[in-house]
Amino acid sequence: MNLVLQTPDEAPPMAGRDLNVVILCVNPLMVSRAAEILKLLELNLKEETEGRLVHEWWDYEVLAFYTLREIAATRAMAADVIIIGVQGEDLPWMVTDWMTQWLHLRKGRPGALVAVVEGDFHGSLKTLSQLKEVAALGHMEFFSTNARNGGEESGESQDSKEVARQFVKSHKTNCRANMAGQRAGV
């Protein structure tokens, strides 16, 4: 699987072949940790799956604009993986509104929600609980990683490696189940 940034010139992700990832980050520091997870997913999926790991980035602040929030919600609705960088105890109103929108649009479509916590992990427990609830409501798997949990020397945190490993394991299981269901005519 090849890592590809979604641009206007790039073909949209193909369902069943490509993995579609939407990333929302609160600040530039979070971007590097989200990118770390993307790279780990690419490495772990490269030999297992053909296709692309198509990703796009959003910033908390652009969600303050209604039209951009709607576009971002539509993109998250179609995503296989949503990575959200969080910091602190409360999510801003525009992020919670965005989540409400894409939850409604997904209509229970499976996927994964990954929380990347920056700073004090314990200070973000309320936010993590909220994101876990959103994942459950959306029939999505939930993973979280602490952006400061080791790995600064190697460039990869152990938490991020574990999240990527768990996601790849889950993805393989879901792909096998989907193929078995298609063969059985389900």
Side-chain angles (χ1 to χ4, degrees):
M1 198 163 258
N2 295 320
L3 190 59
V4 175
L5 177 64
Q6 181 66 56
T7 64
D9 296 333
E10 191 65 42
M14 291 176 38
R17 183 170 194 270
D18 298 331
L19 199 59
N20 184 6
V21 181
V22 169
I23 300 164
L24 175 68
C25 290
V26 65
N27 62 43
L29 294 174
M30 299 304 294
V31 172
S32 66
R33 290 305 181 184
E36 175 183 300
I37 290 173
L38 279 176
K39 291 283 187 191
L40 289 166
L41 289 176
E42 178 188 33
L43 288 172
N44 286 299
L45 291 168
K46 196 166 207 94
E47 295 177 20
E48 301 293 329
T49 310
E50 290 185 26
R52 303 171 302 158
L53 183 59
V54 182
H55 65 284
E56 62 185 270
W57 301 81
W58 293 86
D59 179 293
Y60 276 30
E61 292 174 5
V62 300
L63 298 183
F65 299 95
Y66 178 78
T67 303
L68 293 175
R69 190 168 57 253
E70 273 192 332
I71 293 168
T74 301
R75 304 300 287 217
M77 176 269 302
D80 299 301
V81 180
I82 300 171
I83 300 173
I84 300 179
V86 298
Q87 187 175 34
E89 192 172 311
D90 293 309
L91 290 171
W93 67 269
M94 62 274 225
V95 175
T96 57
D97 190 60
W98 169 73
M99 288 189 305
T100 300
Q101 285 181 339
W102 60 254
L103 262 177
H104 176 71
L105 294 170
R106 284 182 78 89
K107 297 181 179 168
R109 184 178 171 277
L113 179 61
V114 179
V116 179
V117 179
E118 176 67 33
D120 178 25
F121 190 79
H122 296 292
S124 299
L125 289 177
K126 178 180 171 188
T127 300
L128 287 172
S129 177
Q130 183 180 7
L131 292 173
K132 195 176 217 180
E133 184 178 328
V134 166
L137 288 169
H139 304 284
M140 302 171 76
E141 294 186 69
F142 179 74
F143 304 99
S144 66
T145 177
N146 188 343
R148 293 197 180 160
N149 188 9
E152 281 76 16
E153 293 152 16
S154 68
E156 296 173 352
S157 73
Q158 289 303 314
D159 275 4
S160 294
K161 286 180 183 178
E162 182 61 20
V163 164
R165 188 191 67 73
Q166 288 176 2
F167 174 79
V168 169
K169 181 180 176 183
S170 171
H171 180 69
K172 288 178 189 176
T173 301
N174 291 340
C175 285
R176 280 190 283 261
N178 287 341
M179 284 192 282
Q182 288 173 353
R183 277 185 254 142
V186 175

